[in-house]
């Protein structure tokens, strides 16, 4: 199994942060987005928030390729629509490529 950790920021606006959280409550994420994640081979995903920093942890099968998932997203109108909606709330972390808001993080420690 593969595990990825990605970072993204939210705009520093308490109302927008609450709206973003509302979109991600149980049942808030559109079914097409959930289907897209599962079809790509993602087995589990969690998003954590501290202040304005988001951390996304995803687990996928050994054959999963994060770059391929990004390509799949670019070809899916429903995912593009969702991403456009989320851009109202999100900003890329410093140093992120211009076309990418969720930026993979480097693991620097593992207990086991």
């Amino acid at each position: 199994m593969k595990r990825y950790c990605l970072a993204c920021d939210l705009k520093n606006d308490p109302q927008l942060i609450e709206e973003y959280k509302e979109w991600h409550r149980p049942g808030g994420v559109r079914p097409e987005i959930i289907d897209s994640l599962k079809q790509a081979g993602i087995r589990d995903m969690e998003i954590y928030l501290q202040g304005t920093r988001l951390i996304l942890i995803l687990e996928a099968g050994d054959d999963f390729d994060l770059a391929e998932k990004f390509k799949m997203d670019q070809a899916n109108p429903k995912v593009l629509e969702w991403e456009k909606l989320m851009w109202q709330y999100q900003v890329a972390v410093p140093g992120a490529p211009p076309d990418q808001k969720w930026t993979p993080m480097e693991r620097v420690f593992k207990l086991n």
Side-chain angles (χ1 to χ4, degrees):
M1 178 165 340
K2 293 181 179 177
R3 179 180 294 153
Y4 295 85
C5 186
L6 299 96
C8 183
D9 285 342
L10 290 178
K11 293 178 180 175
N12 192 6
D13 179 319
Q15 180 179 341
L16 291 178
I17 291 171
E18 287 305 314
E19 288 177 23
Y20 182 84
K21 289 165 54 176
E22 186 66 21
W23 276 110
H24 290 83
R25 69 177 173 18
V29 176
R30 294 176 178 166
E32 301 89 357
I33 304 309
I34 301 296
D35 290 344
S36 168
L37 296 169
K38 290 179 179 179
Q39 288 173 5
I42 296 171
R43 296 179 180 171
D44 197 11
M45 178 185 284
E46 298 176 314
I47 299 175
Y48 293 85
L49 174 64
Q50 169 57 46
T52 59
R53 177 68 37 100
L54 296 168
I55 301 296
L56 182 152
I57 300 170
L58 71 84
E59 293 182 348
D62 290 333
D63 58 342
F64 178 80
D65 183 310
L66 189 59
E68 186 62 31
K69 172 61 173 134
F70 286 138
K71 287 180 190 175
M72 290 172 58
D73 290 348
Q74 295 304 308
N76 185 326
K78 292 294 185 181
V79 171
L80 292 175
E81 181 181 303
W82 175 259
E83 292 301 328
K84 183 178 179 182
L85 174 65
M86 291 300 107
W87 264 121
Q88 296 176 72
Y89 307 101
Q90 298 170 325
V91 293
V93 295
D99 61 340
Q100 189 174 317
K101 55 185 168 175
W102 283 103
T103 305
M105 299 178 75
E106 174 186 3
R107 180 172 60 193
V108 296
F109 175 79
K110 183 173 179 6
L111 181 60
N112 296 312

